[in-house]
Amino acid sequence: MATPVKVYGPTLSTAVSRVLACLLENDVPFQLLPVNMAKGEHKKPDYLKIQPFGQVPAFQDEDITLFESRSINRYICDKYGSQGNKGLYGTNPLEKASIDQWIEAEGQSFNLPSSILVFQLAFAPRMKLKQDENLIRQNEEKLKKVLDVYEKRLGDSQYLAGDEFTLADLSHLPNIQYLVNGTDRAELFTSRKNVERWWDEISGRESWKKVVEMQTSPPKS
Ligand SMILES: N[C@@H](CCC(=O)N[C@@H](CS)C(=O)NCC(=O)O)C(=O)O
């Protein structure tokens, strides 16, 4: 049997959970390796050898090491796509270009305001840090503008890159999960009817439900 791929980092990390969702979609066996971020393990020389920016996740498959969750996911689909969900990263250049376009939209437009809100609204209170109301307001406005674009797009097609669930939709799951279920800002999504329908569909996938289960009851290490 092939050696399981390795994912380094905690399941609560949005970038780690993005990779886990992709592995589960593709039925790829994996081993999760803990990185204790509270103790700064992600900045230690041994870890920096596999993730030079000192962030999670890092990923290993046989003798290759990768970082950047969205690139890792493209690799997983290219290599393992035939084991599980074949359509996640398209089957021809045009499909791939459309999926890439929406993965970029997620990475370049959606991710920054949404991850600032996740940190400020979900993590800061848990960490007993003071919230920055200005930053929250500014990023809420930015996110609303992005979601207005999504609302229009999702009125024309079932998913972002067309009528199939793809890596582009999957990439959004971690931040929306926190905003809808871990803050009082769910309305950003539920007040937009196409976005709400889309969120219900993508968050209802078995793969994502498993990731959320892993986040709420992480395996004992
Ligand atoms: N673009 C990277 C972002 C990774 C990232 O920001 N990871 C966070 C946790 S979700 C982290 O490691 N933060 C600690 C740090 O930046 O020092 C990816 O998608 O993999």
Side-chain angles (χ1 to χ4, degrees):
M1 212 176 79
T3 327
V5 301
K6 295 189 173 101
V7 181
Y8 294 78
T11 54
L12 287 177
S13 144
T14 50
V16 170
S17 64
R18 183 174 292 116
V19 170
L20 298 179
C22 184
L23 289 166
L24 289 164
E25 277 287 339
N26 286 290
D27 294 329
V28 181
F30 61 89
Q31 187 187 357
L32 195 54
L33 291 125
V35 175
N36 189 331
M37 297 178 78
K39 287 192 180 151
E41 275 176 20
H42 55 310
K43 306 293 179 192
K44 299 260 164 74
D46 272 354
Y47 184 75
L48 293 175
K49 282 186 201 148
I50 55 171
Q51 214 298 8
F53 293 102
Q55 293 187 317
V56 294
F59 175 89
Q60 284 176 327
D61 185 5
E62 297 175 22
D63 54 359
I64 68 135
T65 300
L66 296 172
F67 55 88
E68 285 297 336
S69 58
R70 298 164 188 85
S71 315
I72 296 168
N73 281 356
R74 289 181 174 105
Y75 166 80
I76 293 166
C77 290
D78 279 342
K79 179 161 178 197
Y80 295 103
S82 60
Q83 284 183 23
N85 191 331
K86 288 187 187 139
L88 267 192
Y89 191 33
T91 50
N92 65 54
L94 197 58
E95 282 175 11
K96 278 189 190 290
S98 174
I99 296 165
D100 272 333
Q101 167 184 273
W102 286 103
I103 294 175
E104 287 292 316
E106 185 272 320
Q108 306 288 341
S109 301
F110 176 89
N111 181 59
L112 190 58
S114 63
S115 53
I116 289 173
L117 291 176
V118 167
F119 184 80
Q120 288 291 324
L121 298 168
F123 283 89
R126 290 188 209 178
M127 297 162 80
K128 309 233 177 321
L129 296 173
K130 193 171 155 17
Q131 291 171 314
D132 183 333
E133 294 301 335
N134 258 342
L135 196 61
I136 293 174
R137 218 176 0 260
Q138 282 165 10
N139 283 284
E140 208 173 349
E141 288 316 304
K142 283 186 191 163
L143 185 57
K144 281 181 185 165
K145 290 202 175 106
V146 176
L147 290 176
D148 287 341
V149 175
Y150 283 35
E151 177 66 5
K152 189 165 182 312
R153 170 62 183 166
L154 292 165
D156 296 336
S157 66
Q158 200 177 345
Y159 296 98
L160 288 172
D163 288 327
E164 302 289 335
F165 173 81
T166 70
L167 218 37
D169 307 293
L170 179 150
S171 279
H172 290 78
L173 285 163
N175 281 329
I176 308 183
Q177 179 73 36
Y178 276 116
L179 291 174
V180 168
N181 294 302
T183 75
D184 59 2
R185 299 306 207 277
E187 212 188 308
L188 284 166
F189 301 88
T190 55
S191 63
R192 291 169 171 81
K193 79 172 172 33
N194 299 320
V195 170
E196 183 185 35
R197 172 205 42 87
W198 170 72
W199 166 245
D200 286 345
E201 280 170 27
I202 65 175
S203 60
R205 292 185 76 85
E206 285 311 309
S207 58
W208 185 246
K209 288 200 265 182
K210 260 186 215 155
V211 175
V212 174
E213 215 175 279
M214 289 169 75
Q215 289 178 327
T216 44
S217 49
K220 306 216 171 7
S221 55

